Each structure stands twice: as C-alpha cells, then as structure tokens.
Amino acid sequence: MQLDWKILRSGEQTMYRLRGLYEGYGYRRFKMSKFEEYDLYVRNKDFLVSDRMITFTDSRGVLMALKPDVTLSIIKNTREGEPGPRKVYYNETVYRSGKGDEAFQEIMQTGLECIGELDLYHIYEVTALALESLATISPDHVLDVSHVGLVSGFMEAAGVDEADYGQVMAAVRAKSLAGLEEFCRSRNLSGTVKALLERLVTTYGTMETVLEELAPLCVGGKKTREAWEELNSLCALLKANGLSDKVYLDFSVEGDMDYYSGIVFRGFLKNLSAGVLSGGQYDKMVEKMGKKCGAMGFAINLNELERLGPAQPPFDAEVLVLYDDATDLTALTGRLAQLAGEGKRALARRRAGDLRAKEIVDLRGGEKG
C-alpha cells in the first residue's frame, strides 16, 4: 500500500523518508517503551535538555518517568563487545518541558546512534547522514560543527581554569566579545591570551577555510593538534564526497564537556531560527554509564518542521488518467487496475487542473495513450 503524502504532516513525511536513508546504511530500528526508570534520567540529568519530567510510581513501587530522551535508553540496552558498532535509528515521541515554567510538550523525534569501536569512517558516516538528513528536508540547510577537544585545548593554552570554562563558553555561545573581554579583565589575562580566546567567538566559515586559518594555532598542544587533525580528515572526506559546501566551523555549537568528547554539530534550515538537528560524539556519556566504547549520533526535532508548513512532494501522482463522458469505463477501470498492479500511484480525473504528475494517460473520447 502506498502512502498518501498529502494527508501526512511535514514531520511525518520526513520520518518516512529518513527511515529509508538510515536503513540503507545498515541502521536498524530501535523501539522503546514510553516509560523508563526515573533513576536512569536523574543520574544523567545534565545530559538532558530539561531535568523536569513526568513521573509516577508503578505497581512494583518503582518511580518511572515518561521518556524525555531516547539516547540514554539506547546506551543502557547496548552490550559491550558486540562485533562492529551497534547502529540503530528511532522514531519516537519524547516528553519535555521548556525553560522555566513552560508546559510539557510531546516532541516527535527521529535520529540515529552508532555505538562501539568507532574510527574515522564512522565519524564521517554519522556526519554525512546528518547532512543528508537535512538535505532530505530542505536544500536550504547548513551544518555548524565544533570540536570539544579544540575548544578545551584553546582554553588550556590560554591558562583558563577548568572552573571558569562555563563562563567562557557562555560568552562563546552568545558570540559576545564584550562578555569575553570582561572575563579576561577580571582574571588579568594578557592581550595575547585574550586574542586566542576571541577566536572561539569570532571563528565562523567553511571548514576548509577556517581549519587553514587555525592551523598555526593548533601545532603546540597535543589536544588541539589531534582535534585539528580529526576535523581536517573529516573535512577531506566530506569534500571528496561533495558534502563540504554546507558545513561550517562554529565554536558556539557547544557540547557539555562532561559528556561530549569530540565533534559536535547542529543543523539549521532556512526560515527556522532554532536548530532542528543536534548531535555529536558522546564517549564520556557512555563511560559514565559504565561502558567502554565510543558513541556518536544525532536527533531531529520533527515538531519544528511544522513551522515550515506542509511538505510538498514533487508530484501529486505518478500517473494522471484523464477521462470524459465518451470514455469506455471498462478501459478506464482496466487501466487503473493495471497501474495499481505495477505499484504506481494513479489518479483518475476529468481535467488536470493544477495536479502534478510524472505521466499523463489521456482516455478522453476513447483510449489515446
């Protein structure tokens, strides 16, 4: 049975299209319960968008939560030592509140996770799938990329205390040079150090261009050098496969340094101010949950896509069959049955109007095509 795309919301259409993309790369669907033990989330609340949850006590006396996140459940249900990475995708509804006293919302998400012994290929694959996911939704998209190792390496080189990382990153997220200058003044940091930290705020551009500019600043420390080399290798692979034009380096894309370990990214679409896709490497998160392996993935907030209005498929039907009062109805019904048997989506109409079709069969006044 073929789906009638016109009756599906934009997010639902995207979900069906992305499912085929992910399965083509060997990802299998992960299906979880609506509820998970509250303890799983409270122990990892800093990883969550919000620590407010809908909870209840079940018949066993165990405190449960209506799922606010999918990634934590996937990690929990991943066994160590599996041959090759575990590759899963999901289509789930999560339940979250916004900032402050905002009401809880049902948020439809799709995404994927790659967990296990990861190498550069897997980092490329997940990043490329993030880009292809955005392209599936709209040609007007960008993926902003950062690297936790490069950011923390810059701060180490500048002599910033680890306790002050949060204050520096608040200025970087806001792209506030004034906030960064105030921090440097309060710590009596030199002009050279201030200039280095300012690169975290001002850096933005295509990966290839920015990495070339940053190369002289990344040769000293081991952490910055390794992060730069990883980004540079990723950039080369994306460029070789025609995917680098929409990728930008932007240090304001932040991953919590207690959970994320490498590349982090955020995807944006034209006419939507909020990012619709977010993800990255979260090895530290997996380690905190007692498992020794790498992990990388992303999630897409399908609710945001409804702001774009209904997604329009390129055609209303594969075949438009035109008929009139002179048409032999046996010929009409026979042709429609034939098209259905071929797996083609056909519409029978007296006039084409503004309908879009790949092929038109004209049976008016007798069979003509």
Side-chain angles (χ1 to χ4, degrees):
M1 182 181 72
Q2 294 204 3
L3 289 169
D4 187 346
W5 292 99
K6 296 184 74 174
I7 67 172
L8 295 178
R9 295 182 303 168
S10 178
E12 291 170 331
Q13 292 185 30
T14 298
M15 180 181 68
Y16 280 104
R17 291 183 177 121
L18 293 179
R19 181 170 67 183
L21 172 65
Y22 303 153
E23 290 180 349
Y25 278 82
Y27 288 77
R28 296 185 176 183
R29 183 167 183 188
F30 175 84
K31 182 68 178 174
M32 68 175 290
S33 168
K34 289 186 178 180
F35 307 108
E36 188 73 79
E37 290 188 12
Y38 174 74
D39 185 57
L40 172 67
Y41 300 123
V42 77
R43 283 187 282 109
N44 301 286
K45 63 181 181 179
D46 291 339
F47 186 73
L48 303 175
V49 174
S50 170
D51 61 0
R52 293 179 62 219
M53 288 167 262
I54 300 173
T55 61
F56 70 97
T57 302
D58 70 6
S59 58
R60 303 166 298 164
V62 177
L63 187 62
M64 305 291 288
L66 197 58
K67 62 184 177 189
D69 179 81
V70 181
T71 300
L72 292 174
S73 292
I74 292 175
I75 298 171
K76 175 187 171 186
N77 289 283
T78 297
R79 297 189 303 271
E80 292 183 82
E82 293 184 12
R86 184 187 188 200
K87 299 166 66 172
V88 299
Y89 75 93
Y90 58 87
N91 301 313
E92 296 285 346
T93 299
V94 296
Y95 303 86
R96 294 176 181 166
S97 67
K99 297 178 181 178
D101 295 326
E102 291 182 20
F104 282 91
Q105 293 181 315
E106 287 184 300
I107 299 173
M108 187 166 57
Q109 278 190 345
T110 191
L112 59 81
E113 310 293 346
C114 187
I115 304 174
E117 296 301 319
L118 307 188
D119 55 27
L120 179 61
Y121 168 73
H122 299 110
I123 293 171
Y124 163 77
E125 180 182 89
V126 174
T127 306
L129 283 171
L131 280 161
E132 292 189 47
S133 297
L134 291 169
T136 297
I137 302 168
S138 169
D140 296 316
H141 64 273
V142 295
L143 188 72
D144 287 349
V145 176
S146 183
H147 197 295
V148 172
L150 204 57
V151 172
S152 60
F154 268 33
M155 289 198 279
E156 284 181 13
V160 177
D161 291 335
E162 192 170 338
D164 291 330
Y165 282 9
Q167 188 173 346
V168 173
M169 286 311 301
V172 174
R173 281 195 305 273
K175 292 189 176 292
S176 171
L177 284 173
L180 194 58
E181 185 174 351
E182 175 59 31
F183 170 79
C184 292
R185 186 185 305 115
S186 68
R187 299 299 189 275
N188 294 315
L189 299 180
S190 69
T192 303
V193 168
K194 177 180 169 232
L196 180 61
L197 292 178
E198 282 179 350
R199 295 307 297 264
L200 297 175
V201 175
T202 60
T203 292
Y204 189 80
T206 61
M207 280 186 75
E208 186 174 23
T209 301
V210 172
L211 287 172
E212 187 176 338
E213 293 174 358
L214 293 179
L217 301 175
C218 300
V219 295
K222 180 175 183 291
K223 183 180 286 188
T224 52
R225 183 176 65 254
E226 290 179 350
W228 185 92
E229 289 173 352
E230 185 171 60
L231 282 169
N232 196 51
S233 297
L234 174 62
C235 180
L237 285 172
L238 291 170
K239 184 177 181 181
N241 289 281
L243 296 172
S244 62
D245 291 348
K246 302 281 190 177
V247 186
Y248 292 78
L249 204 60
D250 183 357
F251 294 132
S252 70
V253 178
E254 183 197 9
D256 190 312
M257 293 181 186
D258 290 332
Y259 293 95
Y260 289 91
S261 54
I263 289 168
V264 291
F265 47 71
R266 193 161 179 82
F268 297 86
L269 302 179
K270 185 178 180 181
N271 298 325
L272 287 181
S273 57
V276 298
L277 180 151
S278 61
Q281 294 172 262
Y282 52 92
D283 297 7
K284 292 182 180 179
M285 175 75 252
V286 179
E287 184 179 347
K288 283 178 179 287
M289 294 182 67
K291 300 182 180 181
K292 296 179 180 179
C293 59
M296 187 171 182
F298 61 81
I300 301 172
N301 184 341
L302 297 176
N303 286 35
E304 284 294 319
L305 304 187
E306 304 305 323
R307 300 176 188 273
L308 295 174
Q312 294 296 326
F315 300 102
D316 297 302
E318 289 184 79
V319 184
L320 176 62
V321 182
L322 298 176
Y323 69 96
D324 60 15
D325 291 338
T327 301
D328 182 340
L329 291 182
T330 301
L332 172 63
T333 54
R335 178 58 69 91
L336 290 171
Q338 175 193 344
L339 292 169
E342 294 171 358
K344 293 182 179 179
R345 181 168 175 265
L347 292 176
R349 293 288 187 272
R350 286 182 172 272
R351 58 186 66 84
D354 59 357
L355 290 175
R356 301 161 297 168
K358 285 184 180 180
E359 177 187 350
I360 295 178
V361 174
D362 194 343
L363 298 183
R364 291 173 296 188
E367 186 169 345
K368 299 178 181 179

